[in-house]
Amino acid sequence: MLALFLLVGSLVVSQSAKPKETVLPAAGARIPFELARTRTIPVVKAKVNGQGPFAFLLDTGAAGTVLDEEFVKSIGLELGAEQPIGDPSAAKGIVAHEVAVDAIEAGDVVFKGIVAVAMDRKRFDAGEDLKGILGLPLFAENLFTLDYPRKEIAVAKGELAADGTEVLPYDADGPLPRVEIALGGKKILAHIDSGSPSGFGFPKSFLEGMSWKEEPKVVGRGRTVNNEFEVWSGRVAGTLKLGTIEVADPVVKFNDQFPFANVGYQALKDLAITFDQRNHRVRLHSGSAVERPR
């Protein structure tokens, strides 16, 4: 059964959402993206079962493919078994449906045999003609690079070699990769989340006892499929470390709903990030990924 929850613009489902087969040219493929008009989230064009192309959010904080329910019906797909979705809070969840997709084609890459989730996404994609979300497991069989400076994604055969610097191991116990962040003498695992417009986000409990350069204050509200909550922001005194990346006195955001950290667009926008899901490694490279992954 698919377990799904949506976090401040990021969707998480179980890893059963990997495609059964990926067809990729030997030289790999590079696919351009644009940022959504209303959010700093990458948008790519893809065909579904030969129809399209259509626009989809590309979200590394999503562990699955999520389609808009009306879009699913419009291209002749059937809604399957009901699946409850929600976030990790105690709020009551909502119902979505499994959808069997024969193929998704993005550029020169074809993903075959995908189990997606369909839900009503109108309130999340208001003002934009977006048909859903493509998540990280879609690229599970190959190296996947999100290259912000070049505004393109790259899919390639191969693996990342551990180097102890730019290439980091990640925790794969949960539905999404989590890398270690150090701040104020503490360490925590964090999602690398292209679906989040923020920079560094933490659970409120992790920041207790920190020294502040700028005291936290409420800066807005977050929304999930079944919950709303306050979002706080402040500037911590100290150095944040993520691999070779160091940020002095970082601005951080936090809430009291979720037990994990995440790294979003404001922290990623100058990087090329490569995921090696087979070996549980991620490469964070400052600037464009000029060379193709080995």
Side-chain angles (χ1 to χ4, degrees):
M1 168 174 140
L2 291 177
L4 176 72
F5 58 91
L6 188 71
L7 320 167
V8 200
S10 298
L11 193 70
V12 176
V13 294
S14 78
Q15 295 199 30
S16 63
K18 298 176 183 177
K20 292 181 179 179
E21 181 186 0
T22 301
V23 180
L24 175 69
R30 305 185 83 89
I31 304 160
F33 71 78
E34 300 291 336
L35 295 179
R37 293 195 302 272
T38 58
R39 291 161 287 177
T40 50
I41 302 175
V43 173
V44 297
K45 296 291 184 69
K47 294 181 179 180
V48 179
N49 288 0
Q51 300 183 59
F54 308 102
F56 294 89
L57 295 173
L58 181 66
D59 188 354
T60 62
T65 298
V66 184
L67 304 177
D68 178 72
E69 192 171 280
E70 290 302 316
F71 168 68
V72 166
K73 296 175 182 177
S74 72
I75 61 173
L77 293 178
E78 294 185 2
L79 299 178
E82 290 187 354
Q83 298 294 348
I85 64 174
D87 63 34
S89 71
K92 184 178 179 181
I94 63 174
V95 173
H97 295 266
E98 284 187 1
V99 177
V101 180
D102 291 335
I104 293 176
E105 181 180 350
D108 293 328
V109 190
V110 182
F111 307 96
K112 297 183 177 181
I114 303 111
V115 177
V117 174
M119 60 175 284
D120 183 355
R121 290 190 47 82
K122 288 192 292 292
R123 65 187 175 121
F124 295 103
D125 297 331
E128 300 199 57
D129 188 19
L130 301 172
K131 306 305 184 185
I133 296 172
L134 305 182
L136 199 55
L138 195 64
F139 308 91
E141 297 304 311
N142 296 279
L143 292 179
F144 165 71
T145 299
L146 175 58
D147 193 331
Y148 278 103
R150 285 190 172 184
K151 296 185 74 173
E152 66 180 15
I153 64 173
V155 185
K157 299 179 185 296
E159 63 181 22
L160 291 176
D163 63 5
T165 54
E166 286 189 338
V167 177
L168 307 175
Y170 69 69
D171 173 82
D173 287 343
L176 289 169
R178 299 184 299 171
V179 295
E180 186 177 87
I181 290 183
L183 176 62
K186 296 182 179 181
K187 295 180 179 179
I188 190 171
L189 295 174
H191 299 142
I192 296 178
D193 185 2
S194 68
S196 169
S198 299
F200 298 102
F202 295 93
K204 183 179 180 181
S205 59
F206 177 79
L207 298 172
E208 290 177 356
M210 295 281 183
S211 297
W212 296 91
K213 282 274 190 176
E214 297 175 8
E215 289 295 323
K217 60 182 180 181
V218 176
V219 294
R221 296 188 65 81
R223 184 176 68 177
T224 72
V225 293
N226 61 325
N227 198 5
E228 290 192 9
F229 50 89
E230 289 184 332
V231 177
W232 293 67
S233 180
R235 186 181 295 274
V236 173
T239 300
L240 181 149
K241 296 182 179 180
L242 171 60
T244 60
I245 299 167
E246 295 190 3
V247 182
D249 302 333
V251 172
V252 301
K253 292 186 177 180
F254 62 91
N255 63 76
D256 59 3
Q257 297 292 309
F258 307 115
F260 43 79
N262 74 339
V263 183
Y265 172 77
Q266 290 300 324
L268 301 174
K269 61 183 179 180
D270 297 321
L271 303 177
I273 307 104
T274 299
F275 292 89
D276 178 350
Q277 296 181 69
R278 286 183 169 181
N279 294 302
H280 302 159
R281 294 170 183 158
V282 62
R283 177 177 182 253
L284 303 173
H285 180 71
S286 297
S288 179
V290 176
E291 297 180 356
R292 293 182 183 273
R294 293 187 291 112

